[in-house]
Amino acid sequence: MTAVDPQELAQQFASDNYAGICPEAWQSMEAANRGHATSYGDDPWTTRAADVFRDLFETDCDVYFVFNGTAANSLALASLCQSYHSVICCDASHVETDECGAPEFFSNGSKLLVAPSSDSKLTPQSIHELATKRQDIHYPKPRAVTITQATEMGRVYSLDELHAVADACSAHQLLLHMDGARFANAVASLGCTPAEMSWKSGVDVLCFGGTKNGMAAGEAVLFFDRVLAEGFDYRCKQAGQLASKMRYLSAPWVGMLESGAWLRNAEHGNRCARILQAQIESLPGVRLVQPVEANSVFLEANQAILDALRARGWHFYTFIGGAARFMFAWDTDLRQIDAFFRDLKECAAQALLT
Ligand SMILES: *Cc1c(COP(=O)(O)O)cnc(C)c1O
């Protein structure tokens, strides 16, 4: 085997999906790898994983396992809509900005109605405005609302905010979908139960992210109203999302949920973001763009600082809200945060001099 460049192994904070697989997920994969099992989800791991979800959420929901978040969101929304329907979302939402039109594609044309927002949260007011903008037959009929928890900018809807969103949905007879690619980080942030943050707050369908939480791949789609899940198995199969060796998508959830790793991993990521936030608050030339509520830090700094950071080998994205984003995963090493902060401080000081 050729050696891997050690440079490749240094931790980066560009995304929480740079991290590997956490031990709890890995051990379950290993356990699932002993011998044969029935295919296409008809196996004990998949049954157990769905049961563990029902326990965790304290309700009798329908659970499906798909490969990634784009599929989870798109197929979930498609199952709520006819092709002539529309889905209300925020302008920063992953479904709008990062899924290459998959929600529209898998729903055969359901249109996303996009609300402007400065903090990546959808407000009851914007739901009301978009739901009542047009009522005639020439406009796609609003059918669902999708919100992201935690949001793409690392914000977290409080339970009160969730209830207000749900009330706006009921007022207009809209179904509520939650993109929970970082659901665990939001639960860790609020300290509430998964039930409180989902069906008890009026969420009809939740996509619960496993990948960024420490798994190799996979998201769970939870239907709290079973009627809405009708045909979802066929929809997954048609979309290429029915894993034939399903146990490798489902077993890691057993390890993650039964051991509590899902929450510990999220708590660690959130804590790392707060550590960097505290370091940065007093740094001249650098500004926090959003309050830190989950596992991300968004920085505004001049181009010279960002260029200098990149020149020192740091990876980060600036296409979300125009700010530099730093994300913390389950395995973030606190020493690497310090190393990053030292570089940031030097780059900022250098930029102030020139
Ligand atoms: C990462 C992410 C997803 C899932 O993306 P995939 O790359 O398709 O797995 C969905 N929603 C949000 C908010 C995300 O950050």
Side-chain angles (χ1 to χ4, degrees):
M1 236 168 30
T2 40
V4 177
D5 178 353
Q7 200 56 43
E8 296 273 307
L9 299 174
Q11 282 195 355
Q12 289 286 347
F13 306 129
S15 179
D16 32 2
N17 63 17
Y18 272 41
I21 304 167
C22 72
E24 294 84 354
W26 185 258
Q27 280 152 19
S28 291
M29 297 267 273
E30 206 166 39
N33 199 34
R34 293 181 201 134
H36 285 209
T38 325
S39 53
Y40 296 110
D42 194 14
D43 67 274
W45 285 103
T46 303
T47 305
R48 184 164 153 200
D51 284 340
V52 179
F53 267 110
R54 286 186 275 267
D55 283 350
L56 181 67
F57 280 80
E58 306 167 72
T59 190
D60 188 24
C61 50
D62 258 5
V63 185
Y64 297 85
F65 302 99
V66 298
F67 289 98
N68 61 33
T70 299
N73 286 336
S74 305
L75 297 175
L77 290 173
S79 71
L80 304 183
C81 294
Q82 298 289 336
S83 58
Y84 53 82
H85 281 141
S86 54
V87 175
I88 294 170
C89 68
C90 159
D91 58 0
S93 63
H94 199 269
V95 291
E96 158 68 4
T97 63
D98 288 293
E99 300 191 353
C100 199
E104 295 91 331
F105 177 75
F106 283 113
S107 61
N108 285 309
S110 305
K111 186 181 168 73
L112 294 179
L113 303 182
V114 179
S117 154
S118 56
D119 63 359
S120 69
K121 284 187 189 174
L122 194 59
T123 61
Q125 182 58 26
S126 48
I127 293 170
H128 174 73
E129 281 166 16
L130 284 169
T132 53
K133 188 172 159 199
R134 290 267 297 270
Q135 324 241 279
D136 58 273
I137 198 152
H138 305 283
Y139 199 67
K141 189 175 165 57
R143 168 72 174 165
V145 165
T146 175
I147 54 173
T148 309
Q149 175 80 321
T151 76
E152 289 76 4
M153 288 184 169
R155 303 299 306 274
V156 175
Y157 291 85
S158 68
L159 292 183
D160 283 346
E161 286 174 320
L162 289 179
H163 285 128
V165 163
D167 287 347
C169 290
S170 327
H172 299 289
Q173 285 154 13
L174 300 166
L175 295 165
L176 182 56
H177 164 264
M178 181 179 275
D179 173 349
R182 299 189 182 88
F183 184 85
N185 298 92
V187 171
S189 178
L190 292 187
C192 64
T193 67
E196 285 169 334
M197 219 172 69
S198 56
W199 61 275
K200 287 186 177 173
S201 293
V203 173
D204 296 296
V205 188
L206 167 69
C207 297
F208 188 131
T211 311
K212 287 167 184 153
N213 194 217
M215 286 169 38
E219 320 278 300
V221 184
L222 278 63
F223 286 89
F224 299 111
D225 176 355
R226 287 208 145 123
V227 174
L228 297 172
E230 204 197 312
F232 196 72
D233 44 355
Y234 285 91
R235 202 179 279 286
C236 287
K237 173 65 190 181
Q238 186 181 51
Q241 289 289 324
L242 177 65
S244 81
K245 291 189 181 178
M246 180 75 87
R247 68 186 188 277
Y248 296 106
L249 281 190
S250 56
W253 284 113
V254 174
M256 296 289 283
L257 301 187
E258 285 186 347
S259 69
W262 70 279
L263 192 56
R264 280 194 303 277
N265 288 353
E267 282 165 352
H268 180 74
N270 291 2
R271 186 162 72 92
C272 290
R274 289 196 304 270
I275 288 172
L276 182 63
Q277 171 195 33
Q279 290 174 325
I280 279 169
E281 260 162 0
S282 55
L283 192 64
V286 175
R287 194 178 73 85
L288 284 167
V289 181
Q290 296 287 337
V292 172
E293 294 170 348
N295 64 329
S296 56
V297 173
F298 283 79
L299 298 182
E300 203 174 74
N302 70 32
Q303 197 56 43
I305 297 178
L306 299 183
D307 289 346
L309 275 176
R310 286 206 166 100
R312 290 181 184 218
W314 293 102
H315 296 202
F316 53 89
Y317 298 118
T318 51
F319 64 80
I320 303 159
R325 185 189 76 162
F326 299 89
M327 303 283 327
F328 302 94
W330 64 272
D331 67 340
T332 297
D333 183 344
L334 300 186
R335 288 167 306 181
Q336 191 71 349
I337 301 180
D338 289 341
F340 172 75
F341 181 66
R342 270 198 308 278
D343 277 349
L344 177 62
K345 207 159 69 176
E346 285 172 21
C347 294
Q350 193 65 39
L352 284 179
L353 290 177
T354 52

